[in-house]
């Protein structure tokens, strides 16, 4: 009997994790394709799109973290077989998402040029970048609700619909880039504006697909349009209480990463280029961790809703093992073939050599990242969003930033030591996540 239960849990984990991994892989690939096509234009266009996209997606990721609260609450109600309450929570979360996206989108459109004026002095990049940002912020009216809608689907146990949405939207984005950037099939050659229209259009299309599934109600949860802007103070407060720490955690991580990049740029052009390339290569390795974190969040929430703590614990243990095995395999590749991997990203041998050393250090952090992401997902699924935020606060402010500042400005060591600093951060983060999880308070959280 126990063996059958373990097999059922394993199958459920992979059923949730694999589509989530594929979805995140698609997002990474479309970004790579986007930059490859823009890269055929000129340096000003490349800088404009790169900076504009970073601004746009950093903001949307921060506020899209509101979906964490929705995932935890929906999964808990689905586990308790209270579908009506899950659907009411979903409607309330979507309503919050539309309000926030309207505010963010409007502010983004109005302040696009001002933002670029603060960052740069190059008039051409400012002009192109502000134009790009205004257009993609139209898509932002739909992007945050899309992220929250997908979070609701994952909470209900459906990771396939977000994958379908991402696949169609990203295919549209890539085709749109090709047609509009270069003026193919009778369309005008729009360059940077074409890239922005393709990206914004893809966001709108993705939202249409996700919401079509939600409204039809054949994907686990049905969205009732009449309830989207019907305020329920208790639900509103619960969603905000759970989501704000997750939002602050994302803000902390994104801000720390951005500040670290500014500091790292002081080490020189070759060092920063090597750092950027190694980051691009390593980003692919995060996919398994992300997928199993999604699976753990959903399964812990549903198991606690069904009052089955043992199933929740087994789910966490198995997710940690599976994600560690996959990311451990990636670590082995990083250790054995770093130079060959980095040669795929650049022809500059000096940059490749330095990036290879960074990638070899990245191997050290793979398993700690797998552990941290899976356990963080478990805590969030249980409704403990404050724990991961507090841990993020500690590891960024007390570990990552002080170490990198010391390496860059005081010791003036090379970029490889910056990667050792981030490895230490992830090791500390994994340890603190395990400690938080082992205390067991997550088992009794009521949401």
């Amino acid at each position: 009997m126990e063996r059958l239960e373990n097999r059922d849990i394993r199958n459920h984990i992979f059923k949730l994790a694999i589509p989530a991994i594929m979805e995140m892989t698609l997002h990474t690939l479309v970004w790579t394709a986007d930059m490859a096509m823009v890269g055929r234009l000129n340096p000003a266009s490349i800088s404009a799109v790169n900076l504009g996209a970073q601004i746009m997606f950093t903001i949307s990721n921060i506020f899209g973290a509101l979906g964490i609260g929705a995932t935890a609450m929906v999964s808990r109600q689905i586990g308790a077989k209270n579908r009506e309450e899950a659907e009411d929570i979903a409607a309330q979360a979507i309503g919050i998402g539309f309000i926030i996206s309207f505010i963010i989108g409007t502010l983004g459109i109005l302040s696009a040029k001002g933002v670029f004026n603060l960052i740069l002095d190059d008039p051409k990049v400012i002009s192109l970048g502000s134009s790009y940002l205004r257009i993609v912020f139209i898509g932002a009216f739909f992007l945050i609700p899309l992220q929250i809608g997908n979070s609701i689907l994952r909470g209900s146990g459906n990771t396939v619909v977000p994958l379908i949405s991402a696949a169609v939207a990203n295919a549209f984005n890539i085709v749109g880039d090709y047609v509009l950037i270069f003026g193919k099939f009778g369309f005008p050659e729009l360059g940077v504006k074409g890239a922005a229209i393709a990206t914004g259009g893809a966001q709108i299309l993705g939202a249409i697909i996700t919401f079509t599934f939600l409204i039809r109600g054949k994907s686990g949860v049905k969205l009732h349009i009449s309830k989207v802007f019907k305020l329920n103070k208790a639900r509103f407060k619960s969603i905000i209480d759970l989501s704000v720490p997750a939002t602050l955690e994302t803000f902390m991580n994104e801000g720390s990463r951005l500040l670290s990049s500014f500091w790292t740029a002081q080490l020189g052009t070759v060092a920063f280029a090597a750092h950027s390339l190694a980051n691009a290569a390593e980003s692919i390795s995060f996919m398994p961790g992300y997928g199993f974190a999604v699976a753990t969040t959903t399964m812990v929430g549903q198991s606690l809703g069904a009052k089955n703590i043992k199933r929740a614990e087994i789910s966490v243990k198995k997710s940690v093992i599976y994600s560690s095995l996959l990311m451990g395999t990636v670590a082995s590749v990083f250790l054995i073939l770093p130079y060959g991997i980095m040669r795929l990203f650049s022809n500059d041998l000096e940059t490749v050599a330095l990036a290879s050393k960074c990638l070899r250090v990245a191997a050290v952090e793979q398993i700690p990242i797998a552990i941290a992401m899976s356990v963080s997902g478990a805590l969030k699924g249980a409704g403990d969003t404050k724990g991961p935020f507090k841990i993020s606060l500690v590891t960024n402010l007390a570990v990552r930033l002080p170490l990198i500042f010391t390496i860059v400005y005081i010791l003036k060591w090379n970029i490889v030591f910056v990667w050792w600093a981030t490895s230490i951060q992830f090791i500390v983060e994994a340890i603190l996540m395990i400690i938080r999880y082992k205390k067991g308070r997550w088992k009794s959280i009521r949401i």
Side-chain angles (χ1 to χ4, degrees):
M1 189 71 178
E2 186 175 342
R3 184 178 295 178
L4 285 173
E5 184 182 11
N6 285 341
R7 186 185 299 170
D8 175 62
I9 291 171
R10 181 192 64 205
N11 292 340
H12 199 178
I13 288 171
F14 279 100
K15 183 181 176 182
L16 291 167
I18 290 174
I21 293 169
M22 292 171 66
E23 179 195 350
M24 185 54 65
T25 302
L26 284 174
H27 289 310
T28 302
L29 290 176
V30 78
W31 168 244
T32 304
D34 202 23
M35 289 310 300
M37 281 186 262
V38 172
R40 294 178 179 270
L41 300 177
N42 52 61
S45 296
I46 296 168
S47 297
V49 172
N50 191 27
L51 284 170
Q54 280 192 41
I55 293 166
M56 166 66 189
F57 286 108
T58 296
I59 291 171
S60 64
N61 285 340
I62 289 169
F63 289 99
L66 288 164
I68 294 294
T71 301
M73 293 177 70
V74 167
S75 63
R76 185 73 70 97
Q77 296 303 324
I78 291 293
K81 306 209 179 292
N82 191 349
R83 189 170 298 276
E84 184 178 348
E85 179 64 18
E87 291 175 348
D88 289 345
I89 291 166
Q92 187 82 100
I94 293 292
I96 294 169
F98 272 113
I99 292 168
I100 290 172
S101 65
F102 178 79
I103 295 169
I104 297 299
T106 303
L107 289 175
I109 291 168
L110 295 175
S111 63
K113 189 169 183 179
V115 169
F116 269 87
N117 277 323
L118 284 173
I119 300 172
L120 299 165
D121 295 322
D122 188 323
K124 189 171 183 181
V125 177
I126 290 171
S127 176
L128 289 170
S130 56
S131 175
Y132 176 88
L133 208 53
R134 285 191 195 100
I135 294 170
V136 295
F137 264 116
I138 295 172
F141 287 111
F142 300 88
L143 181 57
I144 294 171
L146 166 63
Q147 291 173 311
I148 294 173
N150 284 337
S151 294
I152 289 164
L153 287 166
R154 295 184 192 110
S156 73
N158 189 327
T159 54
V160 174
V161 170
L163 171 61
I164 293 170
S165 175
V168 176
N170 288 336
F172 175 89
N173 197 343
I174 292 172
V175 173
D177 276 339
Y178 178 71
V179 169
L180 297 176
I181 290 173
F182 305 116
K184 302 295 183 179
F185 307 114
F187 285 87
E189 185 178 337
L190 298 176
V192 167
K193 285 185 179 179
I197 293 169
T199 298
Q203 291 162 6
I204 295 169
L205 179 60
I208 290 170
I209 293 167
T210 291
F211 283 110
T212 297
F213 277 100
L214 280 170
I215 292 168
R216 290 176 64 189
K218 294 182 179 180
S219 51
V221 172
K222 182 177 176 64
L223 177 63
H224 300 276
I225 300 295
S226 60
K227 296 182 179 180
V228 168
F229 295 108
K230 189 176 180 180
L231 178 66
N232 179 291
K233 290 183 180 179
R235 291 194 199 99
F236 180 87
K237 185 177 184 302
S238 295
I239 293 169
I240 295 299
D241 286 348
L242 286 169
S243 298
V244 166
T247 301
L248 292 174
E249 179 192 356
T250 305
F251 177 78
M252 171 60 61
N253 288 332
E254 295 288 346
S256 173
R257 198 172 292 116
L258 193 61
L259 184 57
S260 298
S261 293
F262 290 156
W263 290 348
T264 304
Q266 306 305 311
L267 294 174
T269 303
V270 173
F272 190 67
H275 173 70
S276 301
L277 291 177
N279 265 327
E282 190 193 24
S283 65
I284 300 168
S285 73
F286 297 151
M287 306 308 164
Y290 170 80
F292 285 104
V294 167
T296 312
T297 300
T298 299
M299 292 193 68
V300 167
Q302 291 186 359
S303 297
L304 292 180
K307 303 189 184 306
N308 191 339
I309 292 175
K310 183 182 177 183
R311 183 178 174 84
E313 290 175 328
I314 295 171
S315 299
V316 177
K317 183 178 179 181
K318 287 187 176 297
S319 288
V320 168
I321 291 171
Y322 298 146
S323 60
S324 295
L325 284 172
L326 284 171
M327 293 186 71
T329 302
V330 174
S332 300
V333 176
F334 284 174
L335 278 172
I336 298 167
L337 299 170
Y339 191 84
I341 294 170
M342 296 320 307
R343 282 289 279 124
L344 297 173
F345 286 80
S346 176
N347 292 323
D348 187 281
L349 299 184
E350 184 183 3
T351 304
V352 167
L354 190 54
S356 300
K357 293 178 182 178
C358 295
L359 198 62
R360 186 166 272 138
V361 177
V364 175
E365 63 194 33
Q366 294 304 303
I367 292 178
I369 289 172
I371 294 169
M373 291 179 81
S374 293
V375 177
S376 175
L379 294 172
K380 290 170 183 172
D384 182 12
T385 54
K386 291 180 181 178
F389 165 60
K390 290 176 182 177
I391 291 168
S392 172
L393 204 65
V394 170
T395 58
N396 279 293
L397 296 183
V399 182
R400 181 191 184 102
L401 293 178
L403 282 177
I404 293 177
F405 183 87
T406 302
I407 288 164
V408 173
Y409 290 101
I410 298 175
L411 300 175
K412 300 186 186 301
W413 287 348
N414 68 38
I415 189 66
V416 177
F417 289 95
V418 171
W419 281 72
W420 278 113
T422 59
S423 293
I424 292 169
Q425 178 200 6
F426 287 122
I427 292 167
V428 172
E429 185 173 314
I431 292 169
L432 293 178
M433 288 288 183
I434 291 170
I435 291 171
R436 180 87 177 187
Y437 174 80
K438 289 289 187 182
K439 285 181 178 178
R441 293 173 186 166
W442 59 271
K443 300 175 186 178
S444 56
I445 294 175
R446 301 182 68 181
I447 58 176

